[in-house]
Amino acid sequence: MKETPLLLDGIDREILDILLGYVKAESITCSGGEKAAEDYFLSYFRALPYWKEHPELCGSYAAARDPYDRAVAYAMVRGCGPDTVVMIHHNDVVTTEDYGRLAPLAFSPAELERELKKIAESFSEEEQADLRSGNWLYGHGVCDMKGGGAVQMALLARWAEQVRQDPASLPGNLIVLAVPDEENLSAGMRAGVSLLGGLRERMGLRFRMMINSEPHQRKDPETGVFSVGSVGKMLPFVYVRGCMAHAGKMFEGFNPVGLLGAIVRKTEGNMTLSDTVGREASPPPTWLYCRDRKIQYDVSMPLTAVGCLNVLTLKRTPGEVLEQIACLCREAFDEVLAGLNRQYAVFLQETGRPPERLPWQTRVENFAALCREAEEKHGEAFRVSYRQERQRLEELLARGETTLLDGNFALVDHVFRYIDDLSPRVVYGLIPPYYPNVSNRFLSGIPAGDARIGEALEAFTERAFGQRYVTEEFYTGISDLSYSSLSDSGRIARTLRESMPFYGGRYELPLETLEKISMPCINIGPWGKDFHKLTERVLKEDLTERTPRILCHAIDHILRG
Ligand SMILES: [Zn+2]
């Protein structure tokens, strides 16, 4: 293995060239542009001598049942032995909504910067200073995350050239994966797991580390950040079925809005639903969607009210989170019933009637239990109609005519048609996507050097650039590193099958393969600001000087250390 400086000599220009072309692909998530980014990635590598000689080491792997026909693109350099470092980046970007009038320039960094300077007085002081400094590169996706992608691509090309000169110079293998759909359901990385599983089998690879190059943010401008884990995310839903009554007969019905409100109050921002690991805690849940399902005004209560909350995890499994939510739903149900009964007692007293209690009971169950009840009563008739309805909704989803949220609740509605006991109840479950939490600290049996990669890189950056870096346990921005390892895949698969109505169709996770390819992970990316926004920018020095050197050192540390 040659010295790093030689390998990286003059790489800055290449990184910028790759990046500008990559940005031009306009690969907004769930648009044809994602195919353009895939083509750009593949054309880049296929034009290089190494991949002309080894065309089998570059290609694409389709995401299953993907309505946009997207695929994960990959390129690989084979050195000696089975040890393999996998670099990943996503090449999709969010919409250019925030650019407003400047949207047509979002993918043209130089022109965009000129226009930004004209409206600079509307920016914060920090934004103005950055713009004046000339130290930052502007453009949609330059930071999140085609910048990191370009660094990985340029580096892989350099390694390829080196291996062509001297096949023994690389004591392992390097793969770069470019994945679409990270900003939505991670269809790309889910396919990436299957791709890696296949490469591992075919080539006998041993995966040592997955490196992502998402941008990092800084609290202190002088301190960079590595992450050796990634936060988990799930989207539990709550479907409250009430009992309809005319508003004038309030106590004859059960309004689901009151109960959903109580559930929201118990869970929103509730730190008992947050995880703590070391000195890091996941932000508590917040409700992303919450509404009754009444179609138009009349004087009856809504029949159902639904919502879903975003839950971030550092160590809990989906089963544990759902159990906690069920518990809080039961408490809320008890409290709502107690409150209603108190009011009902007053009402009866004031109207001179004998005391009695409302007929409702607390009832909270997961989606699978609801389906079992329908199946027990209606057997094959239910099974057939459920399959048909799910198929119909899947087709609407594929055509973009419904959303996962609406489709999910429509499917629960459908199951209720086969439920005979229509007393109020809460049904809970999960809506895609699911991102497992990952952390190197929870992985057993990894080489000591790999487990301490953060410290090794901190020492390197201090030595090489006099720059302090710290290592955090979790990347909190949600990333595809969530698909770098998993344990207990069987139990998680069971929870998802039982609780996620749309699991196993268009949305599925190769959980068993993910457990097999499990490897530690790290995020090494350039410093960036204002992702997804008009003033998105990446620090040029990080992009072209520091990040490639840190990445190169990390590879060196893993494969030679
Ligand atoms: Zn990103």
Side-chain angles (χ1 to χ4, degrees), residues 446-480:
I446 58 176
D450 294 0
R452 284 197 302 272
I453 187 165
E455 291 157 48
L457 295 182
E458 285 169 25
F460 171 74
T461 58
E462 195 77 60
R463 212 166 55 235
F465 327 109
Q467 173 112 126
R468 196 172 111 85
Y469 266 74
V470 293
T471 304
E472 61 178 18
E473 297 263 1
F474 295 91
Y475 184 82
T476 50
I478 304 169
S479 80
D480 278 335

Side-chain angles (χ1 to χ4, degrees), residues 1 42-43 58 82 85 131 142 144 149 184 186 200 212 221 230 275 277 291 307 317 333 338 378 406 429 451 486 514:
M1 200 181 262
L42 291 173
S43 320
C58 176
V85 172
L131 195 53
V142 294
D144 182 15
N184 188 30
S186 284
R200 175 177 169 271
N212 200 349
S230 201
D275 283 337
V277 170
R291 62 197 60 180
T317 62
F333 213 145
H378 298 274
D406 291 336
L486 190 75
L514 178 53

